[in-house]
Amino acid sequence: MNETLAHFEPFPEPPALILEYIAERTAEESVVDGPAPWDLGALSAELIEPMPAWLDSVCRWLNGRYAWQPQDVIPPCWAKHEGLAYEIAALAFARGDAYMEAGSSVIWHEQYDRFLTRMNKTLGKAGDECRVGKHEERPARFQLAAWRTTAQGEATGPAGRVEEMAG
């Protein structure tokens, strides 16, 4: 029986720099008041630097263990889909916590299943092309262009348009 399970690969370890950051952040007498390591957009350049390679190894690991159907494959261009990158980071860090207890690991698998549903909803038909290495830019980009920006670069939303229409 041991031979049957001997080939199981461990989940990729976060980069040492990130593990040090987490330890500093969670220490009882911590002076580090930085963002959560899964909040990719808030990380410093130093902390973000090792993340793409680690998250790519996480995606490869997940695909290798769980992607039995085409729609379950995280595409190789995951980093070009910003929402996916945030979710993959959160999922990867959550897995470490979840595997502290058996019941929590079951919940993590339920979270993974919900991640797959959101991923497929987000990617839509473009996901089929992305999964075979033919990344398409965001299909909804033309819709986002409708949200004009102000001179200061801030987006104007529906409220601004309502005021414009009211004259």
Side-chain angles (χ1 to χ4, degrees), residues 90-107:
L91 195 65
F93 283 105
R95 189 182 183 283
D97 293 339
Y99 271 73
M100 299 290 186
E101 297 179 27
S104 297
S105 66
V106 171
I107 293 170

Side-chain angles (χ1 to χ4, degrees), residues 58-68:
V58 166
C59 291
R60 289 170 186 269
W61 188 92
L62 291 169
N63 284 342
R65 270 105 219 118
Y66 297 106
W68 288 84

Side-chain angles (χ1 to χ4, degrees), residues 77-86 118-119 121-127 129-130 134-147:
C77 58
W78 61 268
K80 294 181 180 178
H81 301 274
E82 192 173 338
L84 282 184
Y86 276 104
R118 288 188 307 276
M119 176 183 73
K121 181 181 176 191
T122 298
L123 294 176
K125 292 178 183 178
E129 295 300 311
C130 286
K134 299 177 183 173
H135 174 74
E136 290 186 26
E137 290 304 312
R138 186 177 186 163
R141 183 140 338 264
F142 71 94
Q143 295 170 347
L144 296 177
W147 291 82

Side-chain angles (χ1 to χ4, degrees), residues 12-55:
E13 277 287 319
L17 179 67
I18 299 299
L19 291 175
E20 291 169 14
Y21 175 73
I22 292 169
E24 289 173 15
R25 213 174 153 260
T26 57
E28 200 166 306
E29 297 177 17
S30 176
V31 293
V32 175
D33 189 26
W38 51 88
D39 188 358
L40 300 177
L43 296 178
S44 68
E46 179 187 22
L47 290 173
I48 200 69
E49 194 271 326
M51 293 295 272
W54 176 60
L55 293 176

